[in-house]
Amino acid sequence: MFEMFAILLNLIYNKSVKIDILTLFPNMFSPLFESIIGRAKDSGKLEINIIDIREFSKDKHKKCDDTPFGGGAGMVMTAQPIFDAINSVITKKSKLIYLSPKGEVFKQEKAVELSKEEHLIFLCGHYEGIDERILDIFKPLEISIGDYVLTGGELPAMVVVDAIARNIEGVLARNSLDEESHSNGLLEYPQYTRPQVFQGLEVPEVLLSGNHEEIRKWREQKSVEITKLRRGDMLKCRR
């Protein structure tokens, strides 16, 4: 009985999340292999594969875009290479995500939710976007990282992957996640480290007191003050 329980705990703790990123520009993703995300990958908590959509093009020049029907500026990514690229990795356990300014605005709650998935596929559009029939066929979750437009989905994909990866069990200490901005509907309190005095500015005395209850109260108060000053809309949502 104990052995079965230990095995179950080991499976939960050592859960790995697989992420496939479909893009026309695979060289843009080197930052995902650095720092905390890189260590998560090295430890086996996270598997990240960068897949070049051009490799699936049946055009002899590996072309993956064309002019839009109906006219208009720019180019549109063609359906065939994207369709085949998605089908090369998708399974019944996959969740497909398309980075789009028309999508749901990405928030911390969504990052936590997606960190529990087994397999995530990120589709990065470029130019004027992708052929709408890809969306009709696969019905991906569409995510936006804000109300502005970028040249492609590569940077948004990195932002979303980073936010998801740090919430995967075992990547960061749980208390690191519990007290940061947006984890409890507030912005994080100020942080200080050595030296105690820098350029005439001193660390708040309460943080040196050793009184954990007073420190907790101070941090909570500061979180409320900062949130009220910078993001009053968040306080309204907590009521």
Side-chain angles (χ1 to χ4, degrees):
M1 180 71 176
F2 177 78
E3 288 183 3
M4 288 294 294
F5 183 66
I7 292 171
L8 180 60
L9 283 178
N10 187 58
L11 286 172
I12 294 171
Y13 186 77
N14 290 296
K15 177 189 173 186
S16 175
V17 177
K18 180 181 179 182
I19 295 178
D20 290 319
I21 302 175
L22 312 181
T23 175
L24 292 175
F25 302 96
N27 292 335
M28 291 183 67
F29 288 91
S30 58
L32 286 182
F33 300 94
E34 302 291 338
S35 187
I36 292 170
I37 309 305
R39 292 198 296 273
K41 182 176 179 295
D42 293 341
S43 70
K45 295 288 182 186
L46 182 64
E47 178 186 344
I48 300 178
N49 304 302
I50 312 299
I51 297 166
D52 189 348
I53 295 172
R54 292 186 194 278
E55 295 300 316
F56 296 87
S57 175
K58 294 179 180 178
D59 179 83
K60 66 178 181 180
H61 300 296
K62 296 297 182 183
K63 185 179 178 183
C64 292
D65 62 312
D66 211 330
T67 55
F69 283 121
M75 305 290 277
V76 176
M77 289 177 64
T78 53
Q80 177 271 312
I82 300 173
F83 180 85
D84 288 348
I86 292 172
N87 277 325
S88 74
V89 293
I90 199 167
T91 70
K92 291 182 179 179
K93 294 183 178 180
S94 305
K95 190 169 194 68
L96 177 62
I97 298 168
Y98 175 51
L99 290 312
S100 165
K102 295 185 287 187
E104 166 190 342
V105 176
F106 187 62
K107 294 185 178 180
Q108 181 68 14
E109 293 83 359
K110 183 60 70 173
V112 173
E113 176 187 325
L114 292 174
S115 72
K116 297 175 171 57
E117 296 285 344
E118 291 185 32
H119 182 209
L120 297 170
I121 303 171
F122 289 86
L123 172 59
C124 302
H126 218 82
Y127 314 120
E128 294 300 313
I130 67 173
D131 190 302
E132 187 72 14
R133 289 167 291 188
I134 291 297
L135 306 181
D136 294 337
I137 294 167
F138 292 102
K139 296 178 172 51
L141 168 64
E142 295 189 53
I143 285 180
S144 166
I145 62 167
D147 294 336
Y148 48 88
V149 179
L150 299 171
T151 56
E154 285 75 20
L155 292 174
M158 282 188 272
V159 168
V160 175
V161 168
D162 187 286
I164 290 170
R166 64 197 309 281
N167 283 283
I168 294 171
E169 190 68 38
V171 171
L172 291 178
R174 178 49 52 187
N175 60 352
S176 295
L177 298 170
D178 290 342
E179 297 186 1
E180 61 188 6
S181 292
H182 303 288
S183 62
N184 60 357
L186 296 172
L187 299 180
E188 190 176 9
Y189 49 79
Q191 297 277 17
Y192 299 87
T193 187
R194 295 180 178 84
Q196 188 173 329
V197 180
F198 180 73
Q199 295 289 304
L201 299 173
E202 296 188 20
V203 173
E205 188 174 342
V206 65
L207 298 179
L208 309 174
S209 68
N211 187 323
H212 297 296
E213 179 59 19
E214 290 302 312
I215 291 172
R216 184 194 66 76
K217 289 179 180 178
W218 179 87
R219 286 174 168 170
E220 183 177 348
Q221 178 187 344
K222 289 298 179 183
S223 285
V224 172
E225 290 175 359
I226 290 171
T227 306
K228 183 177 181 180
L229 179 65
R230 302 182 185 180
R231 290 290 305 276
D233 59 301
M234 291 174 62
L235 288 177
K236 292 177 183 177
C237 292
R238 295 183 89 227
R239 292 172 187 170

